[in-house]
Amino acid sequence: MRLGDSNSMTTADQDRRARRFEQIVGDSAALKVVLEQAQRVAAVDSTVLIQGETGTGKELIAHAIHNASPRSGQALIKLNCAAIPFDLLESELFGHERGAFTGAISQSIGRFQLADKGTLFLDEVGDIPLSLQPKLLRVLQEQEFERLGSGRTHRVDVRVVAATHRDLEQMVKRDQFRGDLYYRLSVFPITLPPLRERLEDIGPLVEHYVEVFSRRMGKRIATIPQEFVNASRDYPWPGNIRELQNVIERAVILADEEVLPNLLCQIRPASLDLFAREHFKETERARILDALKTTGWVVGGPAGAAARMGLKRTTLIARMKKHAIFRSLAPA
């Protein structure tokens, strides 16, 4: 993890923190806020809800919270709720007895029991069907459940970290998700910024994944062209870090003479690149104007637009100049 130096942290503290967050690369203000939140909540057993677009690294943050917690010596059990058919999800969560349903030829232990004394990471929790949500709410509140086909109550000691790319609050309003479960899951919400709001991190991320994939493939990449990094900063990355990983992996495969090719120009049609850049410029300009209006056109300081957007003051000023945003645009 590449984080700025801190005079208040000892070398030992920095080493321990680096080990806990070693796979999280970046130095942006937006990412630092997330890591500070993760570090703070890791010390307690409160339920965490990690929110963010697809590909923003929600599972990495869940791992970091577990690794920095008192439960780090115990198991971290994972379940992608969107990847399990609805009729099997209850069994995956709570287990079943032999004969509980057709095909249940033996007893099965669920993820909650496997995670006893440890952490259970429920990815895509927004995909849990409404019919199953009361049972999940009960185990979160009471730390007890029954397996399918059994009346025996099992007690567990499990810390739950959940994640979703869905807007659960809106789902609650549409009666697609239980409000009581949402509030129980979101005791401590953490929202991950999309990659387009972490432009300072793109250079370090490119270097990191070039190193990872070149080592994995046994190739040497000596040069990362600046135009590739510049193009990466202009592209909005709808698939976020996962999409960036895929592009860099393909680039390493295609690299000749130890030079990383700029696939954003070579593979993507020019019209798509132009559309992506223009769309990004429009949305970024709108976000900046919205933040400035909200803060009364105060740029710096803890209550300023830069802090609100998770950016450095100088970064926001540079982007305001880029989008021709001046104080004269403020309402009289």
Side-chain angles (χ1 to χ4, degrees):
M1 177 185 65
R2 299 168 182 156
L3 288 177
D5 293 334
S6 172
N7 294 330
S8 62
M9 292 179 67
T10 66
T11 301
D13 289 337
Q14 291 173 334
D15 288 344
R16 282 194 297 271
R17 186 170 181 175
R19 285 195 298 272
R20 291 165 178 167
F21 298 92
E22 59 186 1
Q23 296 186 59
I24 302 172
V25 177
D27 193 32
S28 65
L31 181 62
K32 284 182 178 179
V33 168
V34 168
L35 296 184
E36 287 168 3
Q37 291 176 328
Q39 185 77 18
R40 184 179 295 273
V41 76
V44 297
D45 267 350
S46 299
T47 304
V48 180
L49 178 63
I50 306 171
Q51 304 168 97
E53 296 177 9
T54 297
T56 48
K58 295 185 285 293
E59 185 172 338
L60 282 179
I61 296 298
H63 272 272
I65 290 171
H66 174 75
N67 291 340
S69 77
R71 297 174 181 262
S72 60
Q74 303 296 324
L76 170 63
I77 302 297
K78 298 177 287 184
L79 178 66
N80 186 333
C81 301
I84 308 297
F86 285 177
D87 55 344
L88 297 179
L89 185 55
E90 183 174 1
S91 174
E92 285 291 329
L93 286 168
F94 307 112
H96 64 257
E97 299 294 337
R98 179 181 179 182
F101 52 85
T102 303
I105 59 176
S106 61
Q107 184 189 76
S108 175
I109 294 176
R111 304 298 174 96
F112 267 99
Q113 194 164 353
L114 289 173
D116 191 26
K117 303 297 188 297
T119 303
L120 177 60
F121 174 52
L122 296 177
D123 199 6
E124 297 303 346
V125 72
D127 286 70
I128 293 180
L130 276 168
S131 60
L132 186 54
Q133 290 177 22
K135 194 166 184 177
L136 176 59
L137 177 63
R138 180 194 172 201
V139 73
L140 289 175
Q141 291 178 332
E142 309 296 337
Q143 293 279 290
E144 62 182 32
F145 64 92
E146 289 83 34
R147 294 190 193 127
L148 274 172
S150 171
R152 178 187 172 192
T153 298
H154 296 269
R155 292 198 59 82
V156 288
D157 174 15
V158 175
R159 197 267 180 88
V160 171
V161 178
T164 182
H165 73 281
R166 298 179 181 272
D167 188 335
L168 294 189
E169 192 169 3
Q170 288 300 315
M171 290 179 68
V172 169
K173 292 178 180 178
R174 296 193 298 265
D175 294 325
Q176 296 173 334
F177 200 87
R178 290 180 62 107
D180 47 7
L181 177 58
Y182 167 66
Y183 293 119
R184 188 64 185 81
L185 287 170
S186 60
V187 173
F188 194 90
I190 297 177
T191 300
L192 302 193
L195 190 54
R196 61 183 174 275
E197 295 180 5
R198 294 174 49 193
L199 297 184
E200 301 95 321
D201 294 337
I202 288 199
L205 282 165
V206 169
E207 293 177 5
H208 171 73
Y209 287 119
V210 167
E211 179 184 349
V212 167
F213 291 119
S214 59
R215 184 172 63 246
R216 187 178 299 173
M217 298 176 195
K219 299 183 72 171
R220 182 174 185 270
I221 304 296
T223 303
I224 301 174
Q226 186 60 42
E227 55 265 28
F228 177 81
V229 178
N230 292 340
S232 297
R233 288 175 177 148
D234 284 338
Y235 182 66
W237 299 108
N240 291 293
I241 297 174
R242 187 175 296 127
E243 184 182 8
L244 176 66
Q245 286 178 304
N246 292 344
V247 169
I248 293 176
E249 184 173 3
R250 291 199 301 272
V252 172
I253 292 171
L254 296 171
D256 292 321
E257 299 179 353
E258 301 181 356
V259 177
L260 192 76
N262 185 359
L263 296 191
L264 289 173
C265 294
Q266 294 179 11
I267 290 181
R268 296 180 180 276
S271 60
L272 178 59
D273 284 348
L274 177 62
F275 171 79
R277 285 195 295 270
E278 290 304 316
H279 174 73
F280 174 61
K281 289 177 183 177
E282 291 175 6
T283 55
E284 182 179 56
R285 190 175 195 276
R287 287 198 308 273
I288 292 172
L289 283 169
D290 181 65
L292 289 167
K293 290 174 183 176
T294 302
T295 60
W297 285 75
V298 175
V299 175
R308 184 178 181 86
M309 296 183 70
L311 300 174
K312 295 178 181 176
R313 177 179 175 275
T314 52
T315 301
L316 179 55
I317 291 173
R319 294 188 191 179
M320 289 171 64
K321 292 178 180 177
K322 172 184 170 184
H323 294 292
I325 298 174
F326 305 106
R327 187 69 176 84
S328 59
L329 294 175

Short mmCIF file of all heavy atoms in Angstrom, two decimals, residues 86 126-136 171-172 174-179 181:
data_model
loop_
_atom_site.label_atom_id
_atom_site.label_comp_id
_atom_site.label_asym_id
_atom_site.label_seq_id
_atom_site.Cartn_x
_atom_site.Cartn_y
_atom_site.Cartn_z
N PHE A 86 -31.51 -19.03 -5.62
CA PHE A 86 -32.32 -18.65 -4.48
C PHE A 86 -32.72 -19.85 -3.62
O PHE A 86 -32.71 -19.78 -2.40
CB PHE A 86 -33.59 -17.93 -4.95
CG PHE A 86 -33.34 -16.52 -5.42
CD1 PHE A 86 -34.37 -15.76 -5.94
CD2 PHE A 86 -32.08 -15.95 -5.33
CE1 PHE A 86 -34.15 -14.45 -6.37
CE2 PHE A 86 -31.83 -14.66 -5.77
CZ PHE A 86 -32.88 -13.91 -6.29
N GLY A 126 -27.46 -7.41 -1.48
CA GLY A 126 -28.70 -6.90 -2.03
C GLY A 126 -29.46 -7.91 -2.87
O GLY A 126 -30.63 -7.68 -3.20
N ASP A 127 -28.82 -9.03 -3.20
CA ASP A 127 -29.47 -10.07 -3.99
C ASP A 127 -30.15 -11.14 -3.14
O ASP A 127 -30.71 -12.09 -3.68
CB ASP A 127 -28.44 -10.74 -4.92
CG ASP A 127 -28.07 -9.85 -6.09
OD1 ASP A 127 -27.38 -8.83 -5.89
OD2 ASP A 127 -28.47 -10.16 -7.22
N ILE A 128 -30.08 -11.01 -1.83
CA ILE A 128 -30.76 -11.98 -0.97
C ILE A 128 -32.27 -11.79 -1.10
O ILE A 128 -32.77 -10.67 -0.95
CB ILE A 128 -30.33 -11.81 0.50
CG1 ILE A 128 -28.86 -12.20 0.66
CG2 ILE A 128 -31.19 -12.64 1.44
CD1 ILE A 128 -28.33 -12.07 2.08
N PRO A 129 -33.03 -12.85 -1.39
CA PRO A 129 -34.47 -12.70 -1.59
C PRO A 129 -35.19 -12.25 -0.33
O PRO A 129 -34.75 -12.54 0.80
CB PRO A 129 -34.91 -14.10 -2.02
CG PRO A 129 -33.84 -15.02 -1.54
CD PRO A 129 -32.57 -14.24 -1.58
N LEU A 130 -36.29 -11.54 -0.52
CA LEU A 130 -37.06 -11.03 0.62
C LEU A 130 -37.48 -12.13 1.58
O LEU A 130 -37.50 -11.93 2.80
CB LEU A 130 -38.30 -10.29 0.10
CG LEU A 130 -38.12 -8.83 -0.31
CD1 LEU A 130 -39.34 -8.34 -1.08
CD2 LEU A 130 -37.87 -7.96 0.91
N SER A 131 -37.82 -13.30 1.04
CA SER A 131 -38.30 -14.39 1.88
C SER A 131 -37.25 -14.90 2.85
O SER A 131 -37.57 -15.47 3.90
CB SER A 131 -38.79 -15.55 1.00
OG SER A 131 -37.74 -16.04 0.18
N LEU A 132 -35.97 -14.69 2.54
CA LEU A 132 -34.89 -15.18 3.39
C LEU A 132 -34.38 -14.10 4.35
O LEU A 132 -33.69 -14.40 5.32
CB LEU A 132 -33.75 -15.70 2.50
CG LEU A 132 -32.56 -16.39 3.18
CD1 LEU A 132 -33.03 -17.54 4.06
CD2 LEU A 132 -31.58 -16.89 2.12
N GLN A 133 -34.73 -12.86 4.09
CA GLN A 133 -34.18 -11.76 4.87
C GLN A 133 -34.55 -11.79 6.36
O GLN A 133 -33.71 -11.44 7.20
CB GLN A 133 -34.58 -10.43 4.24
CG GLN A 133 -33.88 -10.18 2.91
CD GLN A 133 -34.31 -8.90 2.23
OE1 GLN A 133 -34.80 -7.98 2.87
NE2 GLN A 133 -34.11 -8.83 0.92
N PRO A 134 -35.75 -12.24 6.75
CA PRO A 134 -36.03 -12.31 8.20
C PRO A 134 -35.10 -13.25 8.95
O PRO A 134 -34.71 -12.97 10.08
CB PRO A 134 -37.49 -12.80 8.25
CG PRO A 134 -38.08 -12.39 6.94
CD PRO A 134 -36.96 -12.53 5.95
N LYS A 135 -34.74 -14.36 8.33
CA LYS A 135 -33.84 -15.30 8.99
C LYS A 135 -32.44 -14.72 9.12
O LYS A 135 -31.75 -14.93 10.13
CB LYS A 135 -33.80 -16.62 8.21
CG LYS A 135 -33.18 -17.77 9.00
CD LYS A 135 -33.46 -19.11 8.36
CE LYS A 135 -32.90 -20.25 9.23
NZ LYS A 135 -33.23 -21.58 8.67
N LEU A 136 -32.01 -13.97 8.10
CA LEU A 136 -30.71 -13.30 8.19
C LEU A 136 -30.74 -12.23 9.28
O LEU A 136 -29.78 -12.09 10.05
CB LEU A 136 -30.35 -12.68 6.84
CG LEU A 136 -29.05 -11.87 6.80
CD1 LEU A 136 -27.85 -12.73 7.21
CD2 LEU A 136 -28.83 -11.28 5.41
N MET A 171 -33.84 0.54 -2.58
CA MET A 171 -34.56 -0.73 -2.61
C MET A 171 -35.55 -0.82 -1.45
O MET A 171 -36.64 -1.37 -1.59
CB MET A 171 -33.57 -1.89 -2.57
CG MET A 171 -32.76 -2.06 -3.84
SD MET A 171 -31.57 -3.42 -3.74
CE MET A 171 -32.69 -4.85 -3.70
N VAL A 172 -35.18 -0.28 -0.30
CA VAL A 172 -36.09 -0.26 0.85
C VAL A 172 -37.33 0.56 0.51
O VAL A 172 -38.46 0.16 0.79
CB VAL A 172 -35.38 0.30 2.10
CG1 VAL A 172 -36.39 0.56 3.21
CG2 VAL A 172 -34.31 -0.67 2.58
N ARG A 174 -38.60 1.01 -2.33
CA ARG A 174 -39.40 0.31 -3.33
C ARG A 174 -39.92 -1.03 -2.81
O ARG A 174 -40.42 -1.85 -3.58
CB ARG A 174 -38.58 0.10 -4.61
CG ARG A 174 -38.18 1.39 -5.31
CD ARG A 174 -37.66 1.09 -6.71
NE ARG A 174 -36.46 0.28 -6.68
CZ ARG A 174 -35.22 0.75 -6.71
NH1 ARG A 174 -35.02 2.08 -6.76
NH2 ARG A 174 -34.18 -0.05 -6.69
N ASP A 175 -39.74 -1.28 -1.51
CA ASP A 175 -40.16 -2.54 -0.88
C ASP A 175 -39.47 -3.75 -1.49
O ASP A 175 -40.03 -4.85 -1.54
CB ASP A 175 -41.69 -2.72 -0.98
CG ASP A 175 -42.43 -1.67 -0.17
OD1 ASP A 175 -41.92 -1.28 0.89
OD2 ASP A 175 -43.51 -1.23 -0.62
N GLN A 176 -38.23 -3.58 -1.95
CA GLN A 176 -37.44 -4.67 -2.50
C GLN A 176 -36.41 -5.19 -1.49
O GLN A 176 -35.74 -6.18 -1.76
CB GLN A 176 -36.73 -4.22 -3.79
CG GLN A 176 -37.68 -3.85 -4.90
CD GLN A 176 -36.96 -3.24 -6.09
OE1 GLN A 176 -35.89 -2.68 -5.97
NE2 GLN A 176 -37.56 -3.35 -7.26
N PHE A 177 -36.29 -4.51 -0.36
CA PHE A 177 -35.35 -4.92 0.68
C PHE A 177 -35.92 -4.46 2.01
O PHE A 177 -36.47 -3.36 2.12
CB PHE A 177 -33.98 -4.28 0.44
CG PHE A 177 -32.84 -4.99 1.14
CD1 PHE A 177 -32.20 -6.05 0.53
CD2 PHE A 177 -32.42 -4.59 2.40
CE1 PHE A 177 -31.16 -6.70 1.16
CE2 PHE A 177 -31.38 -5.24 3.04
CZ PHE A 177 -30.75 -6.31 2.41
N ARG A 178 -35.82 -5.31 3.03
CA ARG A 178 -36.39 -4.99 4.34
C ARG A 178 -35.63 -3.83 4.98
O ARG A 178 -34.40 -3.83 5.07
CB ARG A 178 -36.32 -6.20 5.26
CG ARG A 178 -37.26 -7.33 4.89
CD ARG A 178 -37.11 -8.47 5.88
NE ARG A 178 -37.46 -8.06 7.23
CZ ARG A 178 -38.58 -8.43 7.85
NH1 ARG A 178 -39.46 -9.20 7.24
NH2 ARG A 178 -38.82 -8.03 9.08
N GLY A 179 -36.39 -2.85 5.48
CA GLY A 179 -35.77 -1.72 6.13
C GLY A 179 -35.03 -2.09 7.40
O GLY A 179 -33.93 -1.61 7.66
N LEU A 181 -33.58 -4.90 8.12
CA LEU A 181 -32.33 -5.58 7.79
C LEU A 181 -31.30 -4.58 7.27
O LEU A 181 -30.12 -4.66 7.61
CB LEU A 181 -32.58 -6.67 6.74
CG LEU A 181 -31.34 -7.42 6.25
CD1 LEU A 181 -30.60 -8.09 7.40
CD2 LEU A 181 -31.73 -8.46 5.19
#
